[in-house]
Amino acid sequence: MNNLTAQQNAVTELMRISPIADELADRFGKAGHKLFLVGGSVRDALLGRLSPDLDFTTDARPDAIQRVVAGWADAVWDTGIEFGTVGLSKRGMTVEITTFRADSYDRVTRNPEVSFGDTIEGDLVRRDFTVNAMAIDLSTKKFVDPYGGLDALRRKVLDTPATPEESFADDPLRMLRAARFASQLSFEPAPRVVAAMTDMASEITRITAERVQAELSKLLLGEEPRRGIELMVGTGLADHVLPEVPGMRLAIDEHHQHKDVYEHSLTVLEQAIDLEKRHEPTSEPDLVLRLAALLHDIGKPDTRKFESGGGVSFHHHEVVGAKMVRKRLRALRYSKDVINDVAQLVYLHLRFHGYGKGEWTDSAVRRYVTDAGDLLPRLHKLVRADCTTRNRRKAIALQRTYDDLEQRIARIAEEEDLAKVRPDLDGNEIMRLLGLPPGPLVGKAWTHLKEVRLDRGPLDHDEAVAELRAWAREQGIEPKD
């Protein structure tokens, strides 16, 4: 794609949203101001993937922006006005219009000392990467590209308008954004960008956990998260964001088929994404599955044991790993639901390997399903993705064994409705039969009957009553007649 073709593509894409852009440009022009489509909006237009959120920049000051859009926009908000940004919506599109900026940074936090600029070139030089430092003058439909963004986009290279040292000192989060763009857009950072990230990796600690988490999640949800993770690990950025991931390079995979557990985990991540796309091609990327795939073996370094004869074991690494996942994801301010789900997948991912060649009883299959709960479809993908052996015969055998387990789950589920496994007697009937008031003993009886249900499958009513009465006698409770 040469620059002329790229410009033509962008203008074509621009025409698709031209009613709003043209209307805005006309209003700003009549008020004596210039308006530019800018940043990610231009980049995405060049890539043919324009989103419904548009970014504009202008020489108009914030109060003037508000006057221009008053009466035209469907809604206007000023939550970013202290940074020169006015937000609005129009016909279902979200628009942000920001006054030219010429900020400086204290380089202690990532908060700019806001000052407004007078030129588009001055505004663009303060942006994170050259591919985001392009603009379209809406009055002429001409490109403004003072820092070579089009050429960088064509070559799929991430570089900075200013020196990367200046850019990252101003806002260290840009280093993590580089890794995110590597994942989302398959871009390769320029050598000087990689060098600056390596030298300045510790600066990421200036950034709040919430902002780090947001960028990390976008990275993992990209098309090629392995690229982003490898960039983070290679530059040392991961040492401050997800230290457990580079830490896995210390452990040797128990199958001795991979360079180390780190490489194995990246392969599992890729294979989980392949399964995700194959089974739910129209669904959004699955953050929980991807986090679990990347982190499923983080407990191995702490549980590594060298056995006599040269072997290596990692006993209970799934238990240790689940605890480590909870600690790390809490530190990154993930939601409680995400933390619980990822930790449970890590905890359960190894259980299948006790299945052998189908030796599990139906009771064990029920427990597998019950413990997984709503996570069962994700657990299926994670376990299948965790097979990374290069021995084709062994890989086929493992997949067939898991096929057999899934078939058994389907059969038992059809017979017993495993999704709703509950005791054969409810709490009210337990209280009536045992003459108990509501309280802990009722809960214990309910739990006991559920365990029996998992072990033996559904009981008829008389069997369930007999089981409850037998349990009650063992507890010193005399059942009612």
Side-chain angles (χ1 to χ4, degrees), residues 3 24 95 122 176 210 216 236 247 299 302 304 315 399 426 430 452:
N3 284 0
L24 271 174
V95 171
L176 196 51
E210 289 82 0
L216 179 63
D302 284 357
R304 179 177 55 171
H315 296 306
Q399 296 298 343
D426 65 17
I430 289 170
V452 173

Side-chain angles (χ1 to χ4, degrees), residues 61-66 76-87 97 99 101 114 116:
R61 296 308 193 244
D63 56 343
I65 296 173
Q66 290 179 309
V76 179
W77 52 92
D78 61 3
T79 51
I81 201 162
E82 63 180 305
F83 298 106
T85 299
V86 175
I97 306 173
T99 302
R101 296 265 291 271
V114 178
F116 299 130

Side-chain angles (χ1 to χ4, degrees), residues 57-181:
T57 189
T58 178
D59 59 346
R61 296 308 193 244
D63 56 343
I65 296 173
Q66 290 179 309
R67 289 195 297 271
V68 170
V69 301
W72 175 81
D74 296 330
V76 179
W77 52 92
D78 61 3
T79 51
I81 201 162
E82 63 180 305
F83 298 106
T85 299
V86 175
L88 61 92
S89 63
K90 181 70 173 181
R91 295 196 290 273
M93 299 194 84
T94 300
V95 171
E96 286 192 347
I97 306 173
T98 303
T99 302
F100 292 159
R101 296 265 291 271
D103 303 336
S104 60
Y105 290 77
D106 60 18
R107 298 193 173 179
V108 176
T109 67
R110 69 183 294 263
N111 300 321
E113 297 171 6
V114 178
S115 60
F116 299 130
D118 298 307
T119 68
I120 184 63
E121 292 80 10
D123 178 88
L124 295 178
V125 76
R126 52 166 288 279
R127 294 178 180 265
D128 54 1
F129 299 105
T130 59
V131 294
N132 296 328
M134 299 177 285
I136 299 176
D137 186 332
L138 292 173
S139 63
T140 62
K141 301 294 194 296
K142 298 293 185 183
F143 273 83
V144 180
D145 182 22
Y147 305 106
L150 274 173
D151 186 58
L153 193 68
R154 178 181 58 80
R155 295 185 295 116
K156 303 186 80 170
V157 170
L158 275 178
D159 205 349
T160 51
T163 67
E165 289 79 9
E166 291 177 279
S167 183
F168 299 155
D170 284 348
D171 184 358
L173 190 64
R174 289 170 174 173
M175 295 185 287
L176 196 51
R177 282 170 63 83
R180 190 243 290 186
F181 285 131

Side-chain angles (χ1 to χ4, degrees), residues 197-198 201-202 204 230-241 246:
M197 290 175 67
T198 304
S202 63
I204 195 67
E230 288 179 332
L231 180 58
M232 288 176 60
V233 170
T235 59
L237 199 60
D239 292 337
H240 306 282
V241 175

